[in-house]
Amino acid sequence: MKRLLVSIHDVAPSHFARLERIVPFLEETNGIGTRYSMLVVPDFWRKGHLRDDPAFCAWLRARAAAGVEMILHGYYHRDETPHTSWGQSLKASALTAREGEFLGLSRAEALARMQQGKAELEDILGQAVKGFIAPAWLYSAGTKDALKDANMMFAEDHWRVWLPGQDRVVAKGPVISYASRSKSRIASSLLWSRLATTLLRPLDTVRLAVHPHDFDIPSLITETHRALGVLQQNRQLSYYYELAAD
């Protein structure tokens, strides 16, 4: 069986207005229903914790109760670690706009944030949170080790989905995602998406990720709609946790 995993990243109160547009776009316009995942950040860029916005928490609980899969997506999402190595500094600045929160954390630091975020999100939702996906898909070695201690069933980076407790990879291949920070990034995103819907066809599992700021760019909205239409033709919409049963 071929699968399609669709996710919304950076789910937080500061993006509420955009999220209220993205959800009907996925659920109704593209016919996905609630078979997709939300990557939730407890205190996105320290702009306001989930628990301090009752309306957003109620909305999040309603989506979870309807069947949307909820995944912990860091804690602050902002990379506040001073990087000493050239490689990590390059990743932090070139691959993302200082959003790789877990790129430089030790095992103890990563575990503490995972445990705190998981407990807070479960309290808000009233249900278990099974997985963790690091902001910008960037992990330190310590973060990867901490996934087991935090009892995370699954994790994802840009190239794979794996089960930390079993050290088992359950999906391989690059994520289809979009960048909206500049005209050149938008153009490259559009090209990659059009190529990927063909090039990734042989894969058992294809992943497509939507970010709130994608919906500030009409061409990215149009391309996301096209890509979802193509990918749904021969794939079953799935949740991340279902990969553990394969």
Side-chain angles (χ1 to χ4, degrees):
M1 176 179 64
K2 290 185 178 293
R3 296 182 183 272
L4 172 62
L5 303 180
V6 179
S7 60
I8 306 175
H9 285 228
D10 306 348
V11 174
S14 58
H15 290 140
F16 200 3
R18 293 182 179 93
L19 293 168
E20 288 185 307
R21 294 167 54 208
I22 295 172
V23 165
F25 171 82
L26 292 180
E27 294 187 4
E28 300 164 18
T29 305
N30 287 279
I32 287 176
T34 57
R35 290 192 65 81
Y36 64 94
S37 306
M38 285 186 172
L39 277 57
V40 185
V41 186
D43 191 1
F44 186 83
W45 277 66
R46 300 183 186 269
K47 292 180 178 179
H49 197 285
L50 295 172
R51 61 173 171 250
D52 297 327
D53 192 325
F56 187 81
C57 287
W59 177 82
L60 205 60
R61 280 194 299 272
R63 301 322 309 137
V68 176
E69 181 180 42
M70 297 292 169
I71 299 170
L72 182 63
H73 187 43
Y75 194 87
Y76 299 114
H77 205 285
R78 183 170 68 180
D79 182 5
E80 300 173 335
T81 304
H83 298 288
T84 56
S85 75
W86 178 85
Q88 284 197 334
S89 295
L90 181 63
K91 285 182 180 180
S93 59
L95 297 182
T96 182
R98 299 296 300 184
E99 294 196 300
E101 178 189 1
F102 281 72
L103 176 61
L105 297 185
S106 68
R107 181 173 184 162
E109 291 169 329
L111 178 60
R113 292 195 194 187
M114 284 184 205
Q115 289 177 328
Q116 182 177 353
K118 186 173 187 290
E120 291 172 351
L121 187 53
E122 288 178 342
D123 183 60
I124 289 168
L125 297 175
Q127 62 177 237
V129 173
K130 299 177 181 178
F132 176 85
I133 297 174
W137 295 290
L138 294 173
Y139 297 75
S140 65
T143 297
K144 290 179 181 178
D145 290 338
L147 290 165
K148 296 179 183 180
D149 298 330
N151 296 316
M152 294 299 180
M153 178 188 293
F154 60 84
E156 170 192 79
D157 63 21
H158 197 274
W159 294 96
R160 63 181 184 141
V161 181
W162 75 97
L163 310 180
Q166 303 177 33
D167 291 320
R168 180 163 68 95
V169 175
V170 291
K172 293 182 179 180
V175 180
I176 301 173
S177 63
Y178 307 93
S180 59
R181 284 189 286 133
S182 67
K183 289 183 178 180
S184 61
R185 288 175 183 269
I186 292 169
S188 62
S189 293
L190 293 171
L191 176 60
W192 162 237
S193 181
R194 289 165 187 160
L195 290 172
T197 51
T198 298
L199 295 175
L200 302 184
R201 191 172 295 164
L203 297 181
D204 289 335
T205 301
V206 171
R207 296 171 287 151
L208 186 144
V210 175
H211 289 79
H213 284 289
D214 296 346
F215 273 63
D216 297 337
I217 312 298
S219 61
L220 294 183
I221 298 173
T222 299
E223 175 54 25
T224 303
H225 178 64
R226 185 206 67 83
L228 286 170
V230 172
L231 292 170
Q232 287 187 82
Q233 289 175 6
N234 64 339
R235 295 182 178 276
Q236 179 174 312
L237 289 159
S238 299
Y239 301 118
Y240 281 83
Y241 80 84
E242 291 177 327
L243 295 177
D246 283 0

